[in-house]
Amino acid sequence: MARIVMKFGGTSMAGTERIRIVAARVKREVEAGNQVAVVVSAMAGETDRLVNFCREASSLYDPREYDVVVSAGEQITSGLLAIALQAVGLKARSWMGWQLPIRTSDGHASARIGEIDTTGLVASLERGEVAVIPGFQGVASGERVTTLGRGGSDTSAVAMAAAMKADRCDIYTDVDGVYTTDPRIVPRARKLKRVTYEEMLELASVGAKVLQTRSVGLAMKEKVRVQVLSSFVDEAAPLGHAEPGTLIVSEEDLGDMERQLITGIAHDKNEAKITLTNVPDKPGAVAAIFEPLAEANINVDMIIQNIAHLKGQAAPSTDVTFTVPGADLARSLDVLGKAQGAIGYVELVHDTRVAKISVVGVGMKSHAGVASTMFKTLGERGINILAITTSEIKVSVLIEEDYTELAVRVLHTAYGLDAEDAA
Amino acid sequence: MARIVMKFGGTSMAGTERIRIVAARVKREVEAGNQVAVVVSAMAGETDRLVNFCREASSLYDPREYDVVVSAGEQITSGLLAIALQAVGLKARSWMGWQLPIRTSDGHASARIGEIDTTGLVASLERGEVAVIPGFQGVASGERVTTLGRGGSDTSAVAMAAAMKADRCDIYTDVDGVYTTDPRIVPRARKLKRVTYEEMLELASVGAKVLQTRSVGLAMKEKVRVQVLSSFVDEAAPLGHAEPGTLIVSEEDLGDMERQLITGIAHDKNEAKITLTNVPDKPGAVAAIFEPLAEANINVDMIIQNIAHLKGQAAPSTDVTFTVPGADLARSLDVLGKAQGAIGYVELVHDTRVAKISVVGVGMKSHAGVASTMFKTLGERGINILAITTSEIKVSVLIEEDYTELAVRVLHTAYGLDAEDAA
């Protein structure tokens, strides 16, 4: 007998018809002899509806009251799923965040989960009841309702799995697992059987939108085995068993056979490149650029500093290029414009027509040559590299946006990731 | 300074536009120096939407989970009103039923309010905060959410007013007060300034749908002064002051000037008449009819037993006629059909084309002749009386449904209730 958490997103909970399909799936896990807690999202579109009500009521809404309003969406689906589970002959009950309780920080609208009391819940599971828990919500000091921020239900599921000491946390999503790259770009992309937390973090943060990044970080910290599964496969298939989706595990749990050099290739078109020309080449100049950006809470990613040039100038100077999230571009230009005097640059140039391509894999730790294969492969196709960053398990390059799909395809082939039987 | 409860129904809370109008109204009460707690319904239509979800999930839904689902409607509007109140410069916070808490019985989906802890609430009011409380909900043993049954928000408001020792409970509704009769039938109907709890109970239970009957009974028991006001009068009018609606008070609070013989005339077309023919005229025969109906929880209202007749029969027998709520007719016929052997009647006849007309007034306690005026007035118009019941403050007659409006109009005139300046 295993203890598992199943998490269903808004598309799976969108209407009673779909909720009944979820109930049938939960029933199969129970009949397989498992203790099951289900974490649910609000019906697709419901959270947006509730957020809009709050915005209409006041543009400066109190986040404590916003939490009261938006947490209702998951309250509704958890009650409905409990009813649907009883209708298929299971014992089931819902547990609101305040009933367990799921303690959180006081950071309303973006609270962080603290301690979860599972005493009542575990007793209920041991009586053979399925627990249904609204995702996204908890309770802060003073017994006020909190929510975790958009997409927080993945985090709720992982946190519940950790607190319950669950054997597995199954996340049912719109996709049926994590792929070597975006299958819309590379039809020969393969579904990964296993991926490490670290790889998943890199893949998620550079654009493979399967799980909320926070939930992956929490799973890594708490060593929760997370499985990504499709909500949309044939209802009769033995779920969580024969068609296992992708399991996210620690590096130790990765079998040697599965330990590939490169796990996946991600791309991200939401970066913007900024160049400051003729920055004085002297100590402290670079700090003068990045300190005001950090103060504005803008996350700088790739940084290149060209060699100093002297052409016709009094003092040596250099060009500094870096990337920021596209959504922060306007604010970045504003901050840097105000700091022109302090930094001493001549021109402020920006470009949003760039893309970041990353090759990710825990295997590259012990293998040289990953980066050079990447540069050579792209060079052979005439793709110019604008910037480079590396970590222990990732090499990322910035290229012109128009080459994104081509770059992903040629790298997917170069690292031997193409499936043998193409789609 | 007074402490008041304001209650707004679903039409007043239907959308953020209307919630802002409610906030403006609450602000005027606060600016008049009052401590204010607001009890709110769900947005119009929302409870129906949530109830339908439950029914779709299972026709035999668990009432504990139904309560989790449907209580979300008031949770949403209470958070939104708190936001809207802050937006007009007031301090405000929402209090869920479990946060106060509002303790109720375990009768899920139709719980009865028990003790309400107002410690935190009163401290909040005294800090100058407006309290916003979702109607219709509470919390039972084991910290499970309960609801009070449809229309329960009126009861929530009265119970809050009693627990807070409020000076007044203002119920904002679709109508601007209680009238001498339905103004759609009699344009010259007058709005009553005051009405007693007892009269209101009679008027409500026979069809003047202004307040939930349970809330009036609770107000009477707890001596809460309830005021019925319109949600739709000019926003600028000084509410709860110049345009006072109808105040529901105890008989002692009724001024002598206002003590009229007849307060109002109600009608109810939702009755059904049942006749059993040739019931044996012997002890125990009537009990054999009404015991099975009582066991089936069917509320019998008017009963007539004709004199015995012997025409061509071996034993004396009689016809028994009575009324039941129209919604219970099918069940009643089923119960009586099965009991034919035990009762010994010959024929079972029913008629739904009947109406009950009631004249109500505490003044009739000390005046004879109210009933005879009624019979005479109806007789002059050729309206046949099918059954009669009376209480200390009410005379009701059953007539053919087609005569309903005519009967109400002639009685309204006969008892001198017509307004002098007709609409």
Side-chain angles (χ1 to χ4, degrees):
Chain A
M1 189 204 68
R3 183 177 287 175
I4 63 172
V5 171
M6 303 172 79
K7 186 261 167 179
F8 292 91
T11 319
S12 303
M13 301 304 290
T16 42
E17 195 73 32
R18 294 201 179 164
I19 290 174
R20 269 200 290 272
I21 294 172
V22 168
R25 234 160 241 195
V26 172
K27 187 178 189 185
R28 265 180 289 139
E29 292 290 359
V30 173
E31 285 176 344
N34 297 316
Q35 287 185 355
V36 181
V38 190
V39 174
V40 296
S41 296
M43 291 189 190
E46 180 71 1
T47 305
D48 285 341
R49 187 177 83 105
L50 297 173
V51 169
N52 281 339
F53 281 146
C54 291
R55 288 190 180 141
E56 285 168 19
S58 171
S59 52
L60 289 167
Y61 52 75
D62 180 347
R64 292 170 300 187
E65 301 299 343
Y66 164 95
D67 283 350
V68 167
V69 174
V70 297
S71 64
E74 283 75 12
Q75 174 171 333
I76 291 167
T77 47
S78 52
L80 290 176
L81 180 57
I83 291 171
L85 289 169
Q86 293 177 0
V88 295
L90 299 177
K91 290 189 283 182
R93 72 155 284 191
S94 63
W95 297 83
M96 300 301 102
W98 58 271
Q99 285 173 327
L100 282 168
I102 298 173
R103 295 275 164 210
T104 72
S105 68
D106 288 347
H108 283 276
S110 59
R112 303 196 79 83
I113 293 179
E115 207 185 334
I116 300 178
D117 185 343
T118 59
T119 319
L121 180 81
V122 166
S124 167
L125 293 178
E126 287 179 350
R127 284 193 300 271
E129 292 170 5
V130 176
V132 185
I133 298 150
F136 180 57
Q137 68 172 242
V139 63
S141 61
E143 303 305 307
R144 299 296 293 261
V145 173
T146 50
T147 65
L148 309 181
R150 294 306 293 267
S153 290
D154 287 345
T155 305
S156 297
V158 170
M160 283 308 306
M164 289 165 56
K165 303 193 192 338
D167 298 279
R168 210 174 64 232
C169 179
D170 288 349
I171 310 261
Y172 288 84
T173 69
D174 295 356
V175 298
D176 65 349
V178 182
Y179 279 74
T180 48
T181 196
D182 185 342
R184 286 169 305 182
I185 295 178
V186 182
R188 293 171 74 116
R190 283 186 295 109
K191 185 163 74 177
L192 295 163
K193 283 188 182 143
R194 291 179 181 229
V195 63
T196 67
Y197 301 120
E198 293 83 352
E199 289 168 335
M200 190 65 203
L201 277 174
E202 294 291 1
L203 290 168
S205 66
V206 292
K209 301 210 171 34
V210 177
L211 288 182
Q212 205 205 11
T213 308
R214 238 167 105 189
S215 69
V216 180
L218 183 63
M220 179 163 73
K221 178 166 161 278
E222 301 285 346
K223 298 204 190 311
V224 174
R225 286 159 62 94
V226 174
Q227 188 171 214
V228 176
L229 295 151
S230 169
S231 322
F232 297 110
V233 297
D234 173 26
E235 208 191 318
L239 278 155
H241 304 289
E243 175 76 51
T246 300
L247 201 58
I248 308 172
V249 295
S250 64
E251 210 179 321
E252 306 90 75
D253 284 353
L254 207 63
D256 276 343
M257 291 293 288
E258 296 156 322
R259 194 179 299 262
Q260 299 216 322
L261 186 62
I262 295 300
T263 304
I265 296 169
H267 67 280
D268 183 4
K269 294 182 176 179
N270 295 317
E271 296 270 306
K273 186 180 74 155
I274 296 174
T275 300
L276 305 182
T277 67
N278 304 99
V279 177
D281 189 21
K282 63 177 184 189
V286 171
I289 297 169
F290 296 112
E291 268 175 17
L293 290 171
E295 276 162 24
N297 212 18
I298 294 164
N299 204 12
V300 173
D301 183 10
M302 309 173 116
I303 303 174
I304 329 165
Q305 183 176 336
N306 291 357
I307 50 164
H309 44 80
L310 276 163
K311 289 169 280 181
Q313 286 178 40
S317 72
T318 181
D319 294 347
V320 177
T321 296
F322 53 88
T323 62
V324 296
D328 290 337
L329 176 63
R331 244 165 16 98
S332 302
L333 296 177
D334 183 52
V335 164
L336 293 167
K338 286 176 183 154
Q340 182 166 16
I343 303 168
Y345 64 83
V346 173
E347 262 190 305
L348 177 59
V349 185
H350 69 271
D351 185 0
T352 56
R353 298 191 48 77
V354 293
K356 184 163 73 167
I357 311 294
S358 305
V359 297
V360 175
V362 288
M364 74 171 70
K365 284 185 187 177
S366 51
H367 284 76
V370 168
S372 61
T373 299
M374 188 176 194
F375 305 151
K376 183 164 160 277
T377 305
L378 295 175
E380 281 169 4
R381 297 299 182 122
I383 300 169
N384 194 26
I385 295 171
L386 309 174
I388 302 168
T389 52
T390 61
S391 78
E392 277 219 311
I393 64 164
K394 184 185 73 169
V395 181
S396 301
V397 296
L398 197 71
I399 63 172
E400 282 178 53
E401 192 179 16
D402 287 344
Y403 291 95
T404 306
E405 290 78 10
L406 176 64
V408 169
R409 284 184 200 120
V410 296
L411 291 172
H412 199 265
T413 304
Y415 288 108
L417 295 174
D418 292 351
E420 280 168 28
D421 48 343
Chain B
M1 188 205 68
R3 184 178 286 175
I4 63 172
V5 171
M6 303 172 79
K7 186 259 165 180
F8 293 91
T11 319
S12 303
M13 301 304 289
T16 42
E17 196 71 33
R18 294 200 178 166
I19 290 174
R20 268 199 291 272
I21 294 172
V22 168
R25 235 161 240 196
V26 172
K27 186 178 190 185
R28 265 178 291 138
E29 290 291 358
V30 173
E31 285 175 344
N34 296 316
Q35 287 184 357
V36 181
V38 190
V39 175
V40 296
S41 296
M43 293 189 188
E46 180 71 0
T47 305
D48 285 340
R49 187 176 83 105
L50 298 173
V51 169
N52 281 339
F53 281 146
C54 292
R55 288 189 181 142
E56 286 168 19
S58 171
S59 52
L60 290 166
Y61 51 76
D62 181 346
R64 292 169 299 188
E65 301 299 342
Y66 164 95
D67 282 351
V68 167
V69 174
V70 299
S71 64
E74 283 76 12
Q75 174 172 332
I76 290 166
T77 47
S78 51
L80 290 176
L81 179 57
I83 290 171
L85 289 169
Q86 293 178 0
V88 295
L90 298 177
K91 290 190 283 182
R93 73 156 282 193
S94 63
W95 297 83
M96 300 302 103
W98 58 269
Q99 286 172 327
L100 282 168
I102 298 174
R103 295 277 164 207
T104 73
S105 68
D106 288 347
H108 284 276
S110 59
R112 303 195 79 84
I113 294 179
E115 207 184 333
I116 300 177
D117 185 342
T118 59
T119 319
L121 179 81
V122 166
S124 167
L125 293 177
E126 288 179 350
R127 285 193 300 271
E129 292 170 6
V130 176
V132 185
I133 298 150
F136 180 58
Q137 69 172 239
V139 63
S141 62
E143 304 303 306
R144 299 296 293 263
V145 172
T146 50
T147 65
L148 309 181
R150 295 304 293 268
S153 291
D154 287 345
T155 305
S156 297
V158 171
M160 284 307 307
M164 289 165 56
K165 303 194 192 338
D167 298 280
R168 208 174 65 232
C169 179
D170 288 349
I171 310 261
Y172 288 84
T173 69
D174 295 356
V175 299
D176 66 349
V178 181
Y179 278 75
T180 49
T181 196
D182 185 342
R184 286 169 304 182
I185 295 178
V186 182
R188 294 172 73 114
R190 283 186 294 108
K191 186 163 74 177
L192 295 162
K193 284 188 182 144
R194 290 179 182 229
V195 63
T196 68
Y197 300 121
E198 293 83 353
E199 288 168 335
M200 191 65 203
L201 276 175
E202 294 291 359
L203 290 169
S205 66
V206 293
K209 301 211 171 35
V210 177
L211 286 182
Q212 206 205 10
T213 308
R214 241 167 103 189
S215 69
V216 180
L218 183 64
M220 179 164 73
K221 178 167 161 278
E222 301 285 346
K223 299 204 190 311
V224 174
R225 286 160 61 94
V226 174
Q227 188 170 214
V228 176
L229 296 151
S230 169
S231 320
F232 296 111
V233 298
D234 174 26
E235 210 190 318
L239 279 155
H241 305 289
E243 174 78 49
T246 300
L247 202 58
I248 308 171
V249 296
S250 65
E251 211 180 319
E252 306 90 73
D253 285 352
L254 207 63
D256 277 341
M257 292 292 287
E258 297 156 321
R259 195 179 300 261
Q260 299 216 320
L261 185 62
I262 297 300
T263 305
I265 296 169
H267 67 280
D268 182 5
K269 295 181 177 179
N270 295 316
E271 296 269 306
K273 186 179 74 151
I274 295 174
T275 300
L276 306 182
T277 66
N278 304 100
V279 176
D281 189 22
K282 63 177 184 190
V286 171
I289 298 170
F290 296 112
E291 268 176 18
L293 291 171
E295 276 162 22
N297 213 18
I298 294 164
N299 204 11
V300 173
D301 184 9
M302 310 173 116
I303 302 173
I304 328 166
Q305 184 177 335
N306 290 358
I307 52 165
H309 45 81
L310 276 164
K311 291 169 280 181
Q313 286 176 40
S317 72
T318 182
D319 295 346
V320 178
T321 296
F322 53 89
T323 61
V324 296
D328 290 336
L329 177 63
R331 250 171 6 105
S332 303
L333 296 178
D334 184 51
V335 164
L336 294 168
K338 286 175 183 154
Q340 183 166 17
I343 303 168
Y345 64 84
V346 174
E347 265 191 304
L348 178 58
V349 185
H350 69 271
D351 185 1
T352 56
R353 297 189 51 75
V354 293
K356 185 164 72 168
I357 311 294
S358 306
V359 297
V360 175
V362 289
M364 73 171 74
K365 284 184 187 177
S366 52
H367 284 76
V370 167
S372 60
T373 299
M374 187 178 196
F375 307 151
K376 183 165 161 281
T377 305
L378 295 175
E380 282 169 3
R381 297 301 183 122
I383 300 170
N384 194 26
I385 294 171
L386 309 174
I388 302 167
T389 53
T390 60
S391 78
E392 278 219 311
I393 65 165
K394 183 185 72 168
V395 181
S396 301
V397 297
L398 196 70
I399 62 170
E400 282 178 54
E401 191 178 17
D402 286 344
Y403 293 94
T404 306
E405 290 78 10
L406 176 64
V408 169
R409 284 184 201 120
V410 295
L411 291 171
H412 200 264
T413 303
Y415 288 109
L417 296 174
D418 292 351
E420 280 166 28
D421 48 343

